[in-house]
Amino acid sequence: MIITLKKDARLADIETLTENLLDEGFHFETVQGHHYTVLHVLGDTTTFDAKKLYAYDAVERVINIQEPFIRAHKKNQPEKTRIAFDTFTIGDRDPVIIAGPCSIESEEQIMSVAKTVSEGGAHILRGGAYKPRTSPYAFQGLKLEGLKLLHKASKHYNLVNISEIVSVNDLPHFEDYVDIIQVGARNMQNYELLKALGKSTKPIMLKRGFGNTIEEWLMSAEYIMNEGNENVILCERGIRTFETYTRSTLDISSVLAIKELSHLPVFVDPSHAAGRWELVEGLSKASIAAGADGLMIEVHPNPERALSDGAQSLKPQKFTQLMESLQKIIAALK
Ligand code: PEP
Ligand code: MN
C-alpha cells in the first residue's frame, strides 16, 4: 500500500498515522521526494480497509496494491478450479453448455426442451422455478413443483441441472432436486444468501450483477468460499450501459479479466446479455473464442408463447445450429 502525505501535513498528524499503522501490524518506509512525502506500507492488506486512512488529516492519497479477495485469487491457488460431474468437468478444456428455458412452465415443455438440448450436445439443463421478475404481476415460476419437473427431465436425459435460488428459505428444496444452484444477477450481493450457500455442498453459479464491478463480483464469490464452499462458477450476463438496442452490454473483457485474477471457471450467458435471440449465436462464438469455460443459453420449444424471456430464447432448431457452429470454434482453439 502506498500513502501520499499532504504537503502541509503537521508532524503530530503524521505521527498519529504512523503509530496507528504500526499498531495495525504494518511496517513502512518513508520516501521523501521533491514535492511529496510517500509512505511505502508493507504487510498483508487483504483484510484491511485502506479507504479508512482518508480519515487521517495527514493523508492525501492511498493506493492499495493488494486485491481484497483471497480465496478466489489465483495467487492463492494457481491451478484452475475444476468441478467434475459423471460425464464432464467444468473448468477443463472443453466448454460446458448449459441450455434450457428461462422458466419451467409445464412437464411437457421441460421434457421437450430437455430432449432438444440433450440431442444438441448440452451438458446441463437450466430452468427457473423461482423467478425474480421485474414486475410482481409477471409469471413468478412453478416453485417447488418446477424444481421437481426439472429434476425429472434432467435425470430422464442424463443431464445435470441448474436452477436459480432467490431465498434462503428454499434451500432445502434445492438440496433435494438441484445439482448446481444459481445466484442471479439481482442477488449477487445478497450476502446472507451467499453465506448460506457457502455451507452447501452443491456447486454455485454466481452471475454478475448488472451494476457490479469485477472486483465486487469476486468479493461475492469470496463470501461463498469463505464459508467453505470452494465450488464457485462465475457467469458474465451483461452489464447496464447507456445502450438500449441490447438488453445489457455483454462485457466479454470480464472473461479475460477473471482469467487474469482468479482460478474460478467463468461462463457467459449471451441470452440475458443480448435480450434478442438473433444475437445469441454470434455472442456465443465470441465468448468461447475469448476463453469462456462454458455458456448458458435459453431455449424454448415455442418462444412466441414463452411465459418469460421468449425474445431471447432459441427455437430447438436454432439451438442445434448454434451447437454445430460452436464445434468449429472449439476445434479451431485446440
Ligand atoms: C436467469 O438466468 O434466469 C436470470 C434471471 O438471469 P440474470 O440473473 O442474469 O438476470
Ligand atoms: Mn431468463
PDB file of all heavy atoms in Angstrom, residues 102-120:
ATOM      1  N   CYS A 102     -36.075 -20.285 -19.905  1.00  0.00           N
ATOM      2  CA  CYS A 102     -35.955 -19.298 -18.835  1.00  0.00           C
ATOM      3  C   CYS A 102     -36.703 -19.857 -17.625  1.00  0.00           C
ATOM      4  O   CYS A 102     -36.135 -20.031 -16.562  1.00  0.00           O
ATOM      5  CB  CYS A 102     -36.556 -17.975 -19.301  1.00  0.00           C
ATOM      6  SG  CYS A 102     -36.485 -16.710 -18.048  1.00  0.00           S
ATOM      7  N   SER A 103     -37.988 -20.192 -17.831  1.00  0.00           N
ATOM      8  CA  SER A 103     -38.816 -20.744 -16.745  1.00  0.00           C
ATOM      9  C   SER A 103     -39.319 -22.133 -17.114  1.00  0.00           C
ATOM     10  O   SER A 103     -39.631 -22.396 -18.280  1.00  0.00           O
ATOM     11  CB  SER A 103     -40.069 -19.893 -16.531  1.00  0.00           C
ATOM     12  OG  SER A 103     -39.733 -18.571 -16.251  1.00  0.00           O
ATOM     13  N   ILE A 104     -39.428 -22.970 -16.103  1.00  0.00           N
ATOM     14  CA  ILE A 104     -40.107 -24.255 -16.297  1.00  0.00           C
ATOM     15  C   ILE A 104     -41.600 -23.926 -16.286  1.00  0.00           C
ATOM     16  O   ILE A 104     -42.086 -23.285 -15.346  1.00  0.00           O
ATOM     17  CB  ILE A 104     -39.778 -25.222 -15.137  1.00  0.00           C
ATOM     18  CG1 ILE A 104     -38.267 -25.428 -15.047  1.00  0.00           C
ATOM     19  CG2 ILE A 104     -40.522 -26.538 -15.274  1.00  0.00           C
ATOM     20  CD1 ILE A 104     -37.755 -25.549 -13.643  1.00  0.00           C
ATOM     21  N   GLU A 105     -42.294 -24.338 -17.353  1.00  0.00           N
ATOM     22  CA  GLU A 105     -43.710 -23.943 -17.471  1.00  0.00           C
ATOM     23  C   GLU A 105     -44.664 -25.115 -17.307  1.00  0.00           C
ATOM     24  O   GLU A 105     -45.784 -24.958 -16.838  1.00  0.00           O
ATOM     25  CB  GLU A 105     -43.929 -23.281 -18.836  1.00  0.00           C
ATOM     26  CG  GLU A 105     -43.095 -22.007 -18.997  1.00  0.00           C
ATOM     27  CD  GLU A 105     -43.135 -21.433 -20.401  1.00  0.00           C
ATOM     28  OE1 GLU A 105     -43.839 -21.996 -21.265  1.00  0.00           O
ATOM     29  OE2 GLU A 105     -42.449 -20.423 -20.639  1.00  0.00           O
ATOM     30  N   SER A 106     -44.226 -26.292 -17.732  1.00  0.00           N
ATOM     31  CA  SER A 106     -45.074 -27.490 -17.615  1.00  0.00           C
ATOM     32  C   SER A 106     -44.178 -28.706 -17.822  1.00  0.00           C
ATOM     33  O   SER A 106     -43.043 -28.572 -18.288  1.00  0.00           O
ATOM     34  CB  SER A 106     -46.153 -27.490 -18.709  1.00  0.00           C
ATOM     35  OG  SER A 106     -45.518 -27.609 -19.971  1.00  0.00           O
ATOM     36  N   GLU A 107     -44.705 -29.872 -17.516  1.00  0.00           N
ATOM     37  CA  GLU A 107     -43.917 -31.094 -17.705  1.00  0.00           C
ATOM     38  C   GLU A 107     -43.602 -31.287 -19.186  1.00  0.00           C
ATOM     39  O   GLU A 107     -42.483 -31.599 -19.562  1.00  0.00           O
ATOM     40  CB  GLU A 107     -44.679 -32.300 -17.144  1.00  0.00           C
ATOM     41  CG  GLU A 107     -43.922 -33.593 -17.375  1.00  0.00           C
ATOM     42  CD  GLU A 107     -44.342 -34.731 -16.463  1.00  0.00           C
ATOM     43  OE1 GLU A 107     -45.195 -34.510 -15.573  1.00  0.00           O
ATOM     44  OE2 GLU A 107     -43.809 -35.840 -16.640  1.00  0.00           O
ATOM     45  N   GLU A 108     -44.602 -31.070 -20.005  1.00  0.00           N
ATOM     46  CA  GLU A 108     -44.436 -31.245 -21.447  1.00  0.00           C
ATOM     47  C   GLU A 108     -43.327 -30.329 -21.982  1.00  0.00           C
ATOM     48  O   GLU A 108     -42.451 -30.741 -22.741  1.00  0.00           O
ATOM     49  CB  GLU A 108     -45.769 -30.909 -22.108  1.00  0.00           C
ATOM     50  CG  GLU A 108     -45.860 -31.330 -23.533  1.00  0.00           C
ATOM     51  CD  GLU A 108     -47.051 -30.668 -24.218  1.00  0.00           C
ATOM     52  OE1 GLU A 108     -47.760 -29.854 -23.586  1.00  0.00           O
ATOM     53  OE2 GLU A 108     -47.245 -30.971 -25.402  1.00  0.00           O
ATOM     54  N   GLN A 109     -43.365 -29.061 -21.530  1.00  0.00           N
ATOM     55  CA  GLN A 109     -42.374 -28.087 -22.021  1.00  0.00           C
ATOM     56  C   GLN A 109     -40.959 -28.468 -21.594  1.00  0.00           C
ATOM     57  O   GLN A 109     -40.036 -28.504 -22.410  1.00  0.00           O
ATOM     58  CB  GLN A 109     -42.734 -26.688 -21.487  1.00  0.00           C
ATOM     59  CG  GLN A 109     -41.701 -25.615 -21.815  1.00  0.00           C
ATOM     60  CD  GLN A 109     -41.092 -24.999 -20.562  1.00  0.00           C
ATOM     61  OE1 GLN A 109     -41.086 -25.609 -19.496  1.00  0.00           O
ATOM     62  NE2 GLN A 109     -40.556 -23.793 -20.709  1.00  0.00           N
ATOM     63  N   ILE A 110     -40.749 -28.797 -20.322  1.00  0.00           N
ATOM     64  CA  ILE A 110     -39.371 -29.043 -19.859  1.00  0.00           C
ATOM     65  C   ILE A 110     -38.843 -30.361 -20.446  1.00  0.00           C
ATOM     66  O   ILE A 110     -37.664 -30.482 -20.772  1.00  0.00           O
ATOM     67  CB  ILE A 110     -39.252 -28.951 -18.300  1.00  0.00           C
ATOM     68  CG1 ILE A 110     -37.779 -28.925 -17.864  1.00  0.00           C
ATOM     69  CG2 ILE A 110     -40.000 -30.054 -17.589  1.00  0.00           C
ATOM     70  CD1 ILE A 110     -37.020 -27.685 -18.228  1.00  0.00           C
ATOM     71  N   MET A 111     -39.754 -31.337 -20.608  1.00  0.00           N
ATOM     72  CA  MET A 111     -39.338 -32.616 -21.222  1.00  0.00           C
ATOM     73  C   MET A 111     -38.910 -32.385 -22.669  1.00  0.00           C
ATOM     74  O   MET A 111     -37.905 -32.921 -23.118  1.00  0.00           O
ATOM     75  CB  MET A 111     -40.498 -33.620 -21.188  1.00  0.00           C
ATOM     76  CG  MET A 111     -40.633 -34.321 -19.868  1.00  0.00           C
ATOM     77  SD  MET A 111     -39.169 -35.360 -19.546  1.00  0.00           S
ATOM     78  CE  MET A 111     -39.647 -36.109 -18.028  1.00  0.00           C
ATOM     79  N   SER A 112     -39.664 -31.562 -23.351  1.00  0.00           N
ATOM     80  CA  SER A 112     -39.345 -31.327 -24.755  1.00  0.00           C
ATOM     81  C   SER A 112     -38.034 -30.554 -24.896  1.00  0.00           C
ATOM     82  O   SER A 112     -37.194 -30.870 -25.740  1.00  0.00           O
ATOM     83  CB  SER A 112     -40.554 -30.633 -25.409  1.00  0.00           C
ATOM     84  OG  SER A 112     -40.164 -29.567 -26.191  1.00  0.00           O
ATOM     85  N   VAL A 113     -37.795 -29.549 -24.035  1.00  0.00           N
ATOM     86  CA  VAL A 113     -36.517 -28.810 -24.111  1.00  0.00           C
ATOM     87  C   VAL A 113     -35.360 -29.728 -23.708  1.00  0.00           C
ATOM     88  O   VAL A 113     -34.280 -29.687 -24.313  1.00  0.00           O
ATOM     89  CB  VAL A 113     -36.509 -27.551 -23.216  1.00  0.00           C
ATOM     90  CG1 VAL A 113     -35.227 -26.765 -23.421  1.00  0.00           C
ATOM     91  CG2 VAL A 113     -37.678 -26.662 -23.495  1.00  0.00           C
ATOM     92  N   ALA A 114     -35.583 -30.555 -22.699  1.00  0.00           N
ATOM     93  CA  ALA A 114     -34.510 -31.459 -22.243  1.00  0.00           C
ATOM     94  C   ALA A 114     -34.074 -32.369 -23.396  1.00  0.00           C
ATOM     95  O   ALA A 114     -32.878 -32.603 -23.614  1.00  0.00           O
ATOM     96  CB  ALA A 114     -34.987 -32.282 -21.050  1.00  0.00           C
ATOM     97  N   LYS A 115     -35.044 -32.841 -24.159  1.00  0.00           N
ATOM     98  CA  LYS A 115     -34.737 -33.708 -25.305  1.00  0.00           C
ATOM     99  C   LYS A 115     -33.904 -32.928 -26.328  1.00  0.00           C
ATOM    100  O   LYS A 115     -32.852 -33.388 -26.776  1.00  0.00           O
ATOM    101  CB  LYS A 115     -36.057 -34.195 -25.929  1.00  0.00           C
ATOM    102  CG  LYS A 115     -35.891 -35.147 -27.078  1.00  0.00           C
ATOM    103  CD  LYS A 115     -37.256 -35.750 -27.426  1.00  0.00           C
ATOM    104  CE  LYS A 115     -37.180 -36.871 -28.434  1.00  0.00           C
ATOM    105  NZ  LYS A 115     -36.802 -36.480 -29.762  1.00  0.00           N
ATOM    106  N   THR A 116     -34.355 -31.731 -26.642  1.00  0.00           N
ATOM    107  CA  THR A 116     -33.643 -30.893 -27.629  1.00  0.00           C
ATOM    108  C   THR A 116     -32.201 -30.627 -27.192  1.00  0.00           C
ATOM    109  O   THR A 116     -31.262 -30.803 -27.981  1.00  0.00           O
ATOM    110  CB  THR A 116     -34.339 -29.508 -27.760  1.00  0.00           C
ATOM    111  OG1 THR A 116     -35.666 -29.713 -28.174  1.00  0.00           O
ATOM    112  CG2 THR A 116     -33.607 -28.598 -28.711  1.00  0.00           C
ATOM    113  N   VAL A 117     -32.029 -30.177 -25.954  1.00  0.00           N
ATOM    114  CA  VAL A 117     -30.679 -29.766 -25.537  1.00  0.00           C
ATOM    115  C   VAL A 117     -29.775 -30.980 -25.363  1.00  0.00           C
ATOM    116  O   VAL A 117     -28.577 -30.914 -25.640  1.00  0.00           O
ATOM    117  CB  VAL A 117     -30.676 -28.841 -24.296  1.00  0.00           C
ATOM    118  CG1 VAL A 117     -31.565 -27.635 -24.497  1.00  0.00           C
ATOM    119  CG2 VAL A 117     -31.035 -29.544 -23.021  1.00  0.00           C
ATOM    120  N   SER A 118     -30.359 -32.101 -24.954  1.00  0.00           N
ATOM    121  CA  SER A 118     -29.554 -33.314 -24.810  1.00  0.00           C
ATOM    122  C   SER A 118     -29.100 -33.796 -26.198  1.00  0.00           C
ATOM    123  O   SER A 118     -27.925 -34.090 -26.408  1.00  0.00           O
ATOM    124  CB  SER A 118     -30.388 -34.354 -24.061  1.00  0.00           C
ATOM    125  OG  SER A 118     -30.121 -35.628 -24.506  1.00  0.00           O
ATOM    126  N   GLU A 119     -30.005 -33.818 -27.152  1.00  0.00           N
ATOM    127  CA  GLU A 119     -29.638 -34.239 -28.516  1.00  0.00           C
ATOM    128  C   GLU A 119     -28.649 -33.263 -29.152  1.00  0.00           C
ATOM    129  O   GLU A 119     -27.795 -33.638 -29.948  1.00  0.00           O
ATOM    130  CB  GLU A 119     -30.897 -34.366 -29.388  1.00  0.00           C
ATOM    131  CG  GLU A 119     -31.689 -35.613 -29.017  1.00  0.00           C
ATOM    132  CD  GLU A 119     -33.056 -35.710 -29.706  1.00  0.00           C
ATOM    133  OE1 GLU A 119     -33.423 -34.813 -30.493  1.00  0.00           O
ATOM    134  OE2 GLU A 119     -33.747 -36.696 -29.414  1.00  0.00           O
ATOM    135  N   GLY A 120     -28.732 -31.990 -28.769  1.00  0.00           N
ATOM    136  CA  GLY A 120     -27.822 -30.976 -29.312  1.00  0.00           C
ATOM    137  C   GLY A 120     -26.428 -31.053 -28.703  1.00  0.00           C
ATOM    138  O   GLY A 120     -25.512 -30.399 -29.181  1.00  0.00           O
TER     139      GLY A 120
END
